[in-house]
Amino acid sequence: MRDAVGSFVGWPSDLIFPDAETPTRPTHKVGKGISRRIESVASQKEVPGRKLKSAAKDIPTTSGTKSQIMMRLEKMVDESDIMHGAIRSIDFDEGVFGAAHFEIIAKEDMQQLFEHDELGIAVIHTYIWYMYVTLMRGTELCNCFNFIAASRINATLITKNPTSVKNDLVDRFMAAGDNTTPSLYFLPFNSGNGGHWVLVAMDLSRLIVYYLDSLSGDWSKYPSMKKTVDAAIIKFRSKKNYRNRKDITWVRVQCPQQNNSVDCGFFVLRFMRDIIALNRIDIPKMYFEEYKSYSRAHLDEMKDELCQFIVDQRII
């Protein structure tokens, strides 16, 4: 893991928000750059969602050189003040995480895309924003899928204050409605200090939690995470006066597996992308027939999507 991962950024106290605490955030030299706040182009108008490719046969089985859109964005970054320590602060649509949220993009985040490096929280969140805008917003999919900010629920914060994390999770559940019909809450969960990413997908109506890990093992690796998630679901149902008619069931999904030490973040994003594109709230224990494995090209496709989105949103 990079030495910079897990460090914290000095920031004026009047600009600190709860979502700013991100254990996987690389160090940014804010004081030496130009902090420029970018208005979200997408937030200015509603657009209908569109379908993404949903069949593995549509994706090349081998990856090649960098795409034109990635080279274009890389050139834009190279010629921008980001290369000299500046940052971009981006306002997300409130629908993404159920509340106002902003994300900071800096040089290190862009390099994660360009160099296929370990993903930090900013890239994870920005691709989630892309999925919301491109696939979900303005469609019924918003009633089926919800996202939880990894900056609010992660191993580092659970260790510091599990009660606060549990309450944040309950607040996210409350923001989305009654949750009496099947839907999924996606939690990209990080093991802390720039560690491993896994996906936790919660169906509150059926009391099912799906666990997707691109490495071997199950939720027993993160007992405090499971305890916090279970407690939040029970507290939410209690606040809604729902009877807990059965125990919470955790399902380990036999999902595609990574073959290196850097792809876990890409796999978590791909898991969410496929589930939404297929509109599947019930995740098969053996995963989807369309995606029994991921090639590098599947991951490169997501990077190109995000590069195009960053260009379209005029973030750089």
Side-chain angles (χ1 to χ4, degrees), residues 6-26 28 37 89 97 100-104 121-122 125 149-154 157 160 168:
S7 57
F8 292 86
V9 181
W11 197 254
S13 60
D14 61 332
L15 294 181
I16 295 177
F17 298 87
D19 274 350
E21 185 172 13
T22 56
T24 57
R25 180 79 211 160
H28 297 146
R37 197 164 185 83
S89 183
F97 294 123
H101 180 90
F102 79 91
E103 199 65 52
I104 294 173
I121 205 164
H125 281 176
S151 55
R152 305 298 295 269
I153 317 292
N154 54 65
L157 296 181
K160 290 180 179 179
D168 279 347

Side-chain angles (χ1 to χ4, degrees), residues 220-287:
S220 62
K221 293 188 292 185
Y222 311 112
S224 61
M225 177 273 288
K226 182 181 185 299
K227 181 179 179 181
T228 301
V229 168
D230 285 348
I233 293 174
I234 292 172
K235 183 174 181 178
F236 163 76
R237 294 184 64 84
S238 175
K239 292 184 72 169
K240 286 289 190 177
N241 294 318
Y242 299 153
R243 289 190 299 176
N244 291 318
R245 59 189 182 279
K246 61 178 182 179
D247 294 334
I248 300 169
T249 300
W250 283 67
V251 178
R252 183 193 171 207
V253 178
Q254 304 295 317
C255 53
Q257 301 288 285
Q258 66 188 85
N259 57 9
N260 58 31
S261 61
V262 301
D263 277 352
C264 56
F266 291 103
F267 273 57
V268 162
L269 294 177
R270 188 79 205 195
F271 294 151
M272 290 188 284
R273 181 192 189 277
D274 293 344
I275 294 166
I276 295 170
L278 295 171
N279 194 11
R280 291 288 300 273
I281 294 172
D282 56 323
I283 306 174
K285 188 173 183 179
M286 301 305 294
Y287 205 55

Side-chain angles (χ1 to χ4, degrees), residues 18-84:
D19 274 350
E21 185 172 13
T22 56
T24 57
R25 180 79 211 160
T27 300
H28 297 146
K29 299 178 182 178
V30 176
K32 296 183 179 180
I34 303 171
S35 179
R36 187 174 73 191
R37 197 164 185 83
I38 304 297
E39 185 73 20
S40 166
V41 176
S43 66
Q44 298 173 10
K45 61 180 180 179
E46 291 294 317
V47 297
R50 64 173 177 83
K51 289 187 178 296
L52 298 171
K53 295 177 182 178
S54 60
K57 65 177 181 293
D58 293 331
I59 312 300
T61 56
T62 58
S63 60
T65 57
K66 291 181 179 179
S67 67
Q68 289 186 351
I69 186 59
M70 180 174 288
M71 290 189 291
R72 176 186 174 190
L73 180 59
E74 192 167 13
K75 185 174 186 293
M76 293 171 63
V77 171
D78 287 342
E79 296 175 349
S80 75
D81 54 1
I82 287 180
M83 294 302 294
H84 305 289

Side-chain angles (χ1 to χ4, degrees), residues 287-305:
Y287 205 55
F288 304 109
E289 287 295 331
E290 295 92 334
Y291 299 108
K292 286 300 185 182
S293 63
Y294 292 147
S295 68
R296 173 61 183 266
H298 286 95
L299 310 185
D300 287 345
E301 180 189 31
M302 293 192 305
K303 291 190 293 184
D304 289 347
E305 291 169 346

